[in-house]
Structure formats: C-alpha cells, structure tokens
Amino acid sequence: MQISRHPTRPIEGQVPGTSGLRKKTRVFMQSHYLENFIQSIWNAIGGLEGKMLVLGGDGRYFNDRAAQVILRMAAASGARRVIVGRDGLLSTPAASHLIRLHGADGGIILSASHNPGGPEADFGVKFNTANGGPAPESLTRAIHDESLRLSEYAIFEAADLPLGQIGEHSFGGMTVEVVDPVADYRALMARLFDFEAIAGLIAGGFRLRFDAMHAVTGPYARDILETALGAPAGSVVNAVPLPDFGGGHPDPNPVWARDLVAHVMGPGAPDFAAASDGDGDRNMILGRGIYVTPSDSLAVLAANAHLTPGHAQGLRGIARSMPTSRAADRVAAARGLPCFATPTGWKFFGNLLDAGHVTLCGEESAGTGSDHVREKDGLWAVLMWLNILAVRRMSVADLMAAHWAEFGRNYYTRHDYEGIDSAAAAGLMEDLRVRLPSLPGQDFAGLRVAAAEDFAYTDPVDGSVATGQGIQIGFDGGARAVLRLSGTGTEGATLRLYLEQLREAPEDLHADPAEVLAPVARAADVLAGIKARTGRTAPDVVT
Ligand code: VG1
Ligand code: CO
C-alpha cells in the first residue's frame, strides 16, 4: 500500500460550530482544506489504528469527492473498517444508528444540513463519537487545536472505490463495506412503531404527503412510507436527492417549504404532511389547515409517546434546547417527569440520553428525537406522529386543540436576521450582556422585564460548562424573548430572536400567533436595539 505524507500548514478558521464545520463549498475544495480538517480529527481522537468508522453524507455537491478522500485518509491512518452508505449517502440519523449498531468508534457525516448545496453554496463535515452522537465541545475544541498545529497529513494513493456497489472492498489494509443506506434504519423504525396500525390508517383513506426537498430522505421516505406502509406512489415528493437540492434551501419550515404549506392550507389538502432537511434530521409537521410548531410537536410527542410500542413503558424525562418553547415543560410537569433545558445543538443531549435521564429531546429548529439514536431524526418524528394519529384517530387540528386545552398554548415564533455585519451582531449581544443586571423591573414597549440572564449550562453528567449560550429575557405575564447568534452560517452573522407567550384561558387558545407575539417582538426590539444596530426594519425569515 502506498501512503503519501503531504506536508501542510495550519489553516485558520477550522472551528466546528453548532453542528460540525460548515464553510462555502469552494473553501472545502481548496487544496489541503478537507484533508487538513480530516487529519485533525484523526489526531484529536488519538489516531485511527485498528478503528472502525461509519461514513456517509446528504448527497450535496462534493459529497462524492470528499467521501473518496476520507476513505483514502482512513486507510492511510490504519483504520480497520469503514462502513459507507451506497453512493456515499447516509442520513444523519441513519449514520448515528449504524455507528451504534456496529459498535463503531465513530463516524463522519458530510453535510451542511439545511444550508443550500452546490459549488457556490455550502458544505460541511461532522464527526460523531462511538455513542452515535455529535462530538462534544471538548472534542471539537481538540480538533480545532490540532488543526492549528498540523504539519502533514497521510493519504493512501489509490483509485476511487466503486461506492455504488454493495458489498466489501479491500482497500489497502482496510475493509470498506458499502451498505444499503436504508435497510437497517427501516428495521429500527419497524421495531419502534406499529407499522400495521399506520398501514391500516393509510389503507382506510388517510392521505399524506412527504416533501423530501430533493435531499437525503427521499429514498428513506419512499421505502418506508410508500413501500412498507402502503402510501400511494407519489405521496413522497421531491424524492430524488440532487447535489444542489434543486436550487432550494433544504430547510423544512414554512418559508422554504412554502409549497407544502400552501398544499395543506388549500382545497383537497391531505390529512397529514411533513418535510425533512438536507441530512434528514429535521422535520416539519402539518395537518389539514394547520402548521404545528416544532416546540408544540415535541410536547405532543411527549404527551402521547406511550401510545407507540417503542415507548410503551413511558418516558424517563424530556430535554429541550433553551430557546425551544416551554410547551414540553408543561407536559413534563403534568406527568411528573424530569425536564432539562440545554444549549442549542444536539451534542448537548448526548450525555442526558446516555445516562438515561431523558428519552425525548427537541429543538425549536424542527429537530426531535429519542434515545433510539443520538441525533435528531426527521422520519422518526413523522412515524411517531403517524403512529399516534393511528391510535387516537383524530385530525392533527383536533389533536392540537385537545393538547392546548389540557396543557395551555405556548405561542411561539422565531425571527432571523441573516447576513448581518458580524461586528454589529457581536456588539448588540455584548451590550445586552453588560446591561443584563439592570434590566429586571424596567419596561420596554409596555412589557416589564421579570428576569434576564446570559444562559450557561452545566452538564449534569460530566460537569462540563458551556457559557454564553444565548440571552434569555422573561417578561411579566409569561412572555419570553431569547437572542443568540447562529453557529451554522457561512456568511456574516445571523441573529436569532425567539419569542414565546403562554396563554391558558380557553378563549385564548386559537389566536393568530403573529398577533399574540407582536408585543413581545416590539419589547425585544426596543430592549436590544435590533433595528437601530442592524439597520434592518424586519427579519429576513420568520418561522
Ligand atoms: C441551528 C439550529 C439548531 C440546530 C443546528 C443544527 O443552529 O438553531 O437548533 O441544532 O442548526 O441543525 P444555529 O447555531 O444556526 O442556530 V442541522 O439540522 O442544520 O444539523
Ligand atoms: Co440537519
């Protein structure tokens, strides 16, 4: 086996963010860029000698090239075996499952998730550890440290592997096993859910539409929803993964999946609709005439999980990211379950899941998951909803009405100000931080601040501390605003403003969320000076 050791120099800025390293595709394609980062991962985990990895990605532009480079670098560093999805494809939850199923030492997922793909768009690399979950901050810091002292990388000089062929290939001293990306994931779903009940629901005339947004879930959704559960052919739309996702943002929210939303709001709407993102870990849930916010979806799944075979024994606890609405907390309180609020990003749920403190986790950004893997899981959430609807036999709208009547309604929205000047964004957050102690008791646009904090989290399992995780402002009357800067963008800064207002009176449960939240938005704007500092009169994206 011919191994080359290429001298290289550290590259600035290889800093993993909320979910892996994300950069413009062109940046990743620069000479040595990908190789440097991958070698930094190998170095940070103490080398690859004798180890087993899982590899796959969401099919975006450069996925195929990057997969070949990573396999050659794994072989050069002495890996024993790499399990790869056919054509280099694996959804993020399927990769997490394969790591756990095979007892692999970790995995690499090639994805920038909901960011657009293509030569002029975004690419990303995530490293997951042996539990199947995203690398914790201690490891992502170590990877960055390695990237700053790197002087060479090793690569096996060989021709491309035929990743379209299922089976084993020997590659230097390493075995590459190409697997069907869907089969093991489908088997896991069939264990967790009552496929017969869901198939019965569909056979009885229940109509659904799933929008794969030309991203990785297309083959998974077709196989499970159409082939296994009997949804008519064509129920899965935009099912063929494309390197540029058909030119769209594979982000399942009312802005980027507006056709699907229009479809459920119009005449002839199906009973249920859903969409997933680039790498298949997010979900958007819709019913005829209704959009379910991700925060509400988490709460509904928590309240009804016991109706599905995988969670028939009930839940151990629930965790949500701090900006996610407190709808799930209300379910936890009613059911006497522990409830945790973590910083944004799935990596913070891993320890809670591993230690058995929680069963369900969720984020307001359309991520929900359980202890079946260590990632959020888009299709899992869809199947969980279908299983619950198959048992309860009510419409999505009626289920939501019943849920709010029982637990109250946490009206919720998120405003994103994208591509703003990084210095202006940092200045806004810093000034707010300095003013935090003086805010309680002050009025802003008619709302009085009750509490204000810079969110910090101490992991209850390993004691690690994450600081500066977002500014949380509580107002009198149950309203809340959270401000934080995105850690997944590739241009300028994105300011996220999360708004929440609890209403419990029966006559207040069916109002227009934008109207209910307008006063909170005004108060947050005045308090943080968003318009003044960013020069923006309105958010770019409202979800
Ligand atoms: C966003 C979401 C966060 C999610 C992350 C990765 O991060 O807000 O909840 O975990 O994306 O999701 P940020 O830092 O931009 O707010 V995925 O599906 O893009 O891997
Ligand atoms: Co994703």
Side-chain angles (χ1 to χ4, degrees):
M1 161 158 100
Q2 196 204 328
I3 294 170
S4 300
R5 297 192 179 280
H6 288 266
T8 189
R9 271 204 291 268
I11 298 174
E12 288 292 313
Q14 296 200 326
V15 189
T18 312
S19 178
L21 181 67
R22 279 185 207 184
K23 297 286 173 192
K24 289 285 166 208
T25 311
R26 294 260 179 235
V27 172
F28 262 105
M29 291 170 72
Q30 284 165 17
S31 96
H32 300 337
Y33 195 94
L34 174 70
E35 291 85 346
N36 268 30
F37 188 64
I38 296 297
Q39 188 67 52
S40 303
I41 296 174
W42 297 171
N43 295 354
I45 60 172
L48 273 200
E49 200 56 50
K51 290 186 179 170
M52 187 192 340
L53 293 181
V54 167
L55 171 66
D58 63 13
R60 70 181 58 225
Y61 186 85
F62 194 52
N63 187 130
D64 47 356
R65 294 310 316 146
Q68 297 285 352
V69 167
I70 292 165
L71 287 169
R72 288 162 56 205
M73 291 186 67
S77 287
R80 172 169 54 90
R81 190 180 194 83
V82 180
I83 296 165
V84 197
R86 186 182 46 229
D87 294 324
L89 294 184
L90 280 178
S91 76
T92 287
S96 181
H97 176 52
L98 283 178
I99 294 171
R100 298 165 64 77
L101 185 68
H102 293 276
D105 298 284
I108 291 207
I109 302 169
L110 305 170
S111 174
S113 190
H114 59 287
N115 298 26
E120 307 307 330
D122 295 346
F123 192 75
V125 175
K126 308 190 264 187
F127 180 72
N128 283 28
T129 51
N131 73 345
E137 285 201 313
S138 53
L139 180 51
T140 57
R141 270 194 294 269
I143 294 169
H144 177 231
D145 290 347
E146 288 295 335
S147 79
L148 295 177
R149 55 172 167 257
L150 201 68
S151 59
E152 65 165 30
Y153 64 83
I155 190 156
F156 172 40
E157 301 296 348
D160 282 359
L161 274 160
L163 295 184
Q165 282 170 36
I166 298 222
E168 293 198 353
H169 308 269
S170 99
F171 196 55
M174 180 174 96
T175 302
V176 174
E177 183 184 353
V178 179
V179 298
D180 174 349
V182 178
D184 290 313
Y185 180 82
R186 181 211 307 119
L188 175 65
M189 294 301 119
R191 281 203 300 281
L192 294 172
F193 300 113
D194 186 344
F195 271 27
E196 257 178 55
I198 301 173
L201 179 75
I202 292 170
F206 180 94
R207 287 168 50 233
L208 66 89
R209 174 178 287 216
F210 180 90
D211 189 342
M213 304 189 87
H214 289 301
V216 79
T217 46
Y220 293 85
R222 270 201 175 148
D223 186 282
I224 296 173
L225 299 175
E226 294 184 3
T227 308
L229 296 171
S235 300
V236 179
V237 297
N238 300 321
V240 178
L242 297 174
D244 67 348
F245 308 119
H249 283 233
D251 194 350
N253 65 37
V255 175
W256 294 112
R258 66 168 77 76
D259 291 353
L260 189 67
V261 178
H263 188 65
V264 299
M265 300 299 170
D271 298 283
F272 179 86
S276 190
D277 71 332
D279 60 330
D281 56 359
R282 297 189 179 198
N283 71 91
M284 175 172 69
I285 301 295
L286 302 153
R288 184 179 301 120
I290 187 169
Y291 161 68
V292 181
T293 70
S295 296
D296 272 350
S297 176
L298 174 66
V300 167
L301 297 188
N304 294 282
H306 60 280
L307 302 175
T308 67
H311 297 300
Q313 351 43 30
L315 306 177
R316 290 167 184 266
I318 307 168
R320 62 165 172 88
S321 69
M322 178 276 280
T324 303
S325 98
R326 293 167 291 192
D329 304 32
R330 302 181 66 77
V331 175
R335 303 280 161 87
L337 294 171
C339 188
F340 299 82
T342 59
T344 296
W346 211 260
K347 56 181 171 251
F348 293 102
F349 294 132
N351 279 346
L352 296 173
L353 290 164
D354 284 350
H357 291 330
V358 301
T359 312
L360 286 193
C361 304
E363 294 193 280
E364 55 64 42
S365 53
T368 353
S370 84
D371 57 359
H372 68 290
V373 288
R374 292 294 178 274
E375 288 278 7
K376 51 193 190 274
D377 189 343
L379 258 178
W380 168 88
V382 169
L383 293 168
M384 185 100 170
W385 264 92
L386 290 173
N387 198 154
I388 291 166
L389 292 171
V391 174
R392 297 199 55 177
R393 296 278 167 168
M394 48 202 311
S395 70
V396 174
D398 288 347
L399 183 59
M400 290 317 301
H403 185 90
W404 295 327
E406 184 174 357
F407 299 101
R409 179 170 179 185
N410 293 69
Y411 286 90
Y412 190 83
T413 191
R414 186 176 100 185
H415 293 183
D416 292 336
Y417 296 81
E418 294 181 340
I420 57 177
D421 178 67
S422 299
L428 182 154
M429 293 299 288
E430 200 36 53
D431 281 7
L432 206 48
R433 262 184 204 112
V434 172
R435 287 163 51 217
L436 283 177
S438 68
L439 293 179
Q442 287 193 52
D443 292 338
F444 296 92
L447 285 186
R448 177 157 300 177
V449 175
E453 67 157 345
D454 184 6
F455 183 64
Y457 177 70
T458 303
D459 186 297
V461 179
D462 67 12
S464 60
V465 177
T467 56
Q469 297 295 322
I471 286 174
Q472 181 166 218
I473 315 273
F475 296 98
D476 285 352
R480 179 175 75 134
V482 173
L483 294 99
R484 62 178 281 280
L485 299 181
S486 159
T488 57
T490 57
E491 257 175 34
T494 293
L495 173 69
R496 302 203 196 283
L497 170 65
Y498 311 78
L499 304 164
E500 178 180 4
Q501 172 73 63
L502 172 68
R503 292 268 189 261
E504 293 183 86
E507 64 278 15
D508 292 338
L509 298 178
H510 296 277
D512 173 4
E515 261 170 45
V516 172
L517 294 163
V520 199
R522 276 195 296 276
D525 181 39
V526 175
L527 190 155
I530 298 173
K531 287 194 183 74
R533 283 166 171 277
T534 65
R536 301 285 173 86
T537 49
D540 300 280
V541 178
V542 175
T543 52

